[in-house]
């Protein structure tokens, strides 16, 4: 079952407002439709649930929308985002990743550069593995950590930081695939670069492919300007 969308307040439907509440009858949690005794998505929301919405208190029935797949096997949906206190201080949280292709190569220069951007060396995800390898364990772990951090601190910007963009992939096609992966999990937050205190990356999408920042993870390059193989300004 596709997870329900969370529209803007002006576009909210009855179902969106009902699913802000847990169901006292079937124990469906916020973000999920009601379920029947047989374990399917119920054709309508239970009365004790939809009457928690003030404007629906006198309604006789609130049907389950077709995009919630009524009659299909029930699966939990995506909980609605927790409201963020506008007075809550925010901060950038960096997730560092370092990689070289062979066991004979060293990682110290990458680790030093990442540490110089406030990432403790013992918290940097590093590995010696070629980008030709389809699954890079530490890279996957770093992405997973970025997602978990963002889930627990939605008011903060999580920045996936590397020494240079080729640490992430071999070519534009591979970086485009990575950008699509990020888009599948996170929402673009800005179509334009965000000012930084130094020269570096402001865009995790390959040049020419459009798009803006992801949060998380935003990709950032900490390679000093002028170093061989490094580019300054917007990067893939």
């Amino acid at each position: 079952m596709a997870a329900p969308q969370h529209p803007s307040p002006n576009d909210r439907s009855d179902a969106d407002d009902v699913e802000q509440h847990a169901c006292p009858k079937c124990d469906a949690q916020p973000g999920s439709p009601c379920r029947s005794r047989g374990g399917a998505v119920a054709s309508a929301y239970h009365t004790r649930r939809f009457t928690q919405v003030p404007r629906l208190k006198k309604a006789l029935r609130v049907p389950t929308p077709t995009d919630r797949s009524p009659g299909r096997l029930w699966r939990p949906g995506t909980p609605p985002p927790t409201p963020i206190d506008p007075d809550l201080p925010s901060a950038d949280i960096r997730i560092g990743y370092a990689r070289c292709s062979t066991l004979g190569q060293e990682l110290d220069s990458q680790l030093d550069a990442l540490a110089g951007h406030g990432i403790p060396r013992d918290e940097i995800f590093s590995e010696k593995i070629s980008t030709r390898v389809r699954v890079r364990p530490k890279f996957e772990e770093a992405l997973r950590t970025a997602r978990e951090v963002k889930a627990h601190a939605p008011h903060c910007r999580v920045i996936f930081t590397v020494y240079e963009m080729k640490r992430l992939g071999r070519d534009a096609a591979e970086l485009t695939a990575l950008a699509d992966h990020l888009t599948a999990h996170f929402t673009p937050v800005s179509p334009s670069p965000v000012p930084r205190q130094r020269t570096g990356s402001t865009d995790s999408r390959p040049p020419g492919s459009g798009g803006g920042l992801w949060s998380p993870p935003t990709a950032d390059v900490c390679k000093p300007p002028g170093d061989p193989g490094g580019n300054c300004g917007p990067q893939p």
Side-chain angles (χ1 to χ4, degrees):
M1 182 189 72
Q5 300 296 313
H6 302 294
S8 65
N10 293 332
D11 289 329
R12 297 190 68 83
S13 66
D14 289 348
D16 296 317
D17 287 336
V18 172
E19 290 183 9
Q20 291 290 311
H21 305 275
C23 181
K25 182 173 181 179
C26 67
D27 292 327
Q29 295 303 300
S32 301
C34 288
R35 58 184 166 192
S36 67
R37 291 182 179 179
V41 177
S43 61
Y45 294 97
H46 294 122
T47 304
R48 290 170 58 193
R49 187 180 193 184
F50 71 71
T51 52
Q52 295 179 79
V53 180
R55 64 183 179 82
L56 297 174
K57 279 186 177 296
K58 295 184 179 181
L60 298 178
R61 186 175 185 270
V62 177
T64 303
T66 56
D67 64 351
R68 269 66 163 183
S69 304
R72 297 280 190 90
L73 179 66
W74 185 91
R75 298 190 197 290
T78 303
T82 303
I84 298 172
D85 184 349
D87 296 326
L88 191 67
S90 62
D92 286 350
I93 301 174
R94 291 184 179 272
I95 304 295
Y97 174 72
R99 182 196 64 79
C100 59
S101 298
T102 66
L103 294 176
Q105 293 175 313
E106 56 87 22
L107 287 169
D108 286 342
S109 57
Q110 295 182 49
L111 297 174
D112 289 342
L114 293 169
H117 280 72
I119 308 172
R121 285 179 69 105
D122 59 351
E123 294 181 11
I124 297 171
F125 296 89
S126 63
E127 58 190 340
K128 295 187 176 185
I129 189 170
S130 171
T131 53
R132 293 183 176 85
V133 178
R134 207 163 184 73
V135 177
R136 287 167 272 162
K138 289 296 182 179
F139 177 61
E140 295 298 329
E141 187 178 350
L143 285 179
R144 185 168 60 252
T145 299
R147 290 193 291 268
E148 292 173 352
V149 169
K150 185 63 178 182
H152 287 85
H155 57 289
C156 295
R157 186 175 60 158
V158 178
I159 305 176
F160 195 92
T161 309
V162 295
Y163 181 67
E164 54 186 344
M165 293 310 292
K166 68 181 181 180
R167 299 303 106 199
L168 297 176
R170 289 177 295 164
D171 50 38
E174 188 170 347
L175 291 171
T176 297
L178 173 61
D180 289 341
H181 170 80
L182 300 182
T183 303
H185 291 85
F186 311 109
T187 305
V189 296
S190 172
S192 59
V194 171
R196 306 208 188 263
Q197 295 180 348
R198 46 158 206 81
T199 303
S201 170
T202 56
D203 197 332
S204 58
R205 185 178 287 273
S209 62
L213 294 173
W214 279 263
S215 179
T218 311
D220 200 14
V221 178
C222 62
K223 190 167 188 176
D227 275 17
N231 294 317
C232 300
Q235 296 284 331

